[in-house]
Amino acid sequence: MNLVARLRPAVPVAVALVGVLVTLAVASRVLPGRVVMVHLSETGGSAFAASRGDLVLLGAVLVVGIVVTWLVSALFLAVTPVRHVLVPHAAFWKKPPNRAEMRRRYARYLAVATSASLWFVAALFVLAMVSQSGPLAAWWLPAAVSAAYVLFVLGGLVWVFTAGFTPTPAGVSARAAASDQEARVASRPSASVVETTRSGSSAARPPRASPRPTAETPRTGTAPPAPSARPGRAPGRPQTPTGDGPRTGPPRPYQPRPRSGGPRG
């Protein structure tokens, strides 16, 4: 999730904060020295009155308290484990693909409630500026503004826990896919860095040795000896010449050689 998506729920609070600060600045100049917030028409008295400085200071303290409460609550919802978060349809929203959408909805609803509180303070100061005299100096105007604020907060709380977390698988899956795609694009390095890393790693990698060394056979210029045609003769051994010459016919019978010197007496 990028920074814009994280700060988007805070937009209503920022707008309301600017509005209430402008209202306090104007009220510090326009209001009289003694301010009456609730006029009692029956007796002509007042139920709540204060000096201008005290009233503006009280409004500033309320604004700071509302903003601090919102920040602490938003931080609590962001860091609290999912198993401790109270949410309708927990079996659906506490699944890993839907947790980001659940936290996003909680942040948006909390921001709307905070902005409503800030606008309520601004409305009270605007009412104080226009109701110091004339027909608007009535007791029921502050009561009506306060009742509208209370009804809005209670009605919004009931809506959040009934219809605000209705399971919507299609929308949740689409938002989760978009958030994942944005995160991947933001964290993906450039093509040049990838190519440089790959080339550096391939250059630093040593050459892989062959698992089986190849036996080198000496090469000679002579051809291998031809096998002998006579059985029992070793190959490559030259044929021994005989005195009788080559024999072409069948073998002759054994004949003893004559002895030299004649017969002995």
Side-chain angles (χ1 to χ4, degrees):
M1 186 185 298
N2 51 13
L3 184 61
V4 177
R6 290 181 181 274
L7 297 179
R8 189 173 299 167
V11 173
V13 179
V15 174
L17 183 60
V18 172
V20 71
L21 291 179
V22 172
T23 303
L24 290 177
V26 174
S28 63
R29 299 297 183 89
V30 175
L31 287 176
R34 180 176 176 80
V35 182
V36 177
M37 295 295 297
V38 179
H39 298 269
L40 299 177
S41 56
E42 291 82 2
T43 60
S46 60
F48 180 81
S51 64
R52 180 178 59 190
D54 293 343
L55 188 63
V56 173
L57 179 61
L58 178 62
V61 171
L62 286 176
V63 170
V64 172
I66 292 172
V67 173
V68 170
T69 303
W70 169 66
L71 291 176
V72 173
S73 302
L75 179 62
F76 176 78
L77 288 175
V79 301
T80 302
V82 178
R83 63 179 179 273
H84 298 308
V85 177
L86 179 63
V87 62
H89 308 285
F92 174 80
W93 289 108
K94 291 187 178 182
K95 293 180 179 179
N98 304 329
R99 293 176 181 176
E101 177 65 17
M102 179 192 67
R103 294 186 186 275
R104 188 182 300 110
R105 292 193 181 192
Y106 259 128
R108 184 169 67 248
Y109 299 152
L110 180 62
V112 171
T114 304
S115 63
S117 301
L118 294 175
W119 285 121
F120 170 67
V121 175
L124 289 179
F125 274 88
V126 171
L127 184 61
M129 286 187 288
V130 300
S131 65
Q132 294 303 308
S133 61
L136 295 179
W139 64 269
W140 56 268
L141 283 178
V145 173
S146 301
Y149 168 72
V150 172
L151 291 177
F152 177 81
V153 173
L154 293 179
L157 186 63
V158 172
W159 181 86
V160 165
F161 283 94
T162 54
F165 285 96
T166 303
T168 54
V172 172
S173 301
R175 292 184 180 181
S179 301
D180 295 341
Q181 185 176 3
E182 292 178 358
R184 286 195 299 268
V185 171
S187 61
R188 183 182 301 171
S190 60
S192 60
V193 176
V194 174
E195 293 296 333
T196 305
T197 306
R198 290 182 179 177
S199 60
S201 61
S202 61
R205 184 180 301 172
R208 183 178 298 177
S210 177
R212 291 184 299 179
T214 305
E216 296 183 357
T217 305
R219 296 182 179 180
T220 58
T222 60
S228 176
R230 185 176 180 181
R233 188 181 299 275
R237 186 175 180 181
Q239 188 175 2
T240 304
T242 59
D244 299 336
R247 299 177 180 178
T248 57
R252 294 178 295 177
Y254 174 73
Q255 295 179 2
R257 292 183 178 182
R259 296 181 180 179
S260 61
R264 295 180 182 181

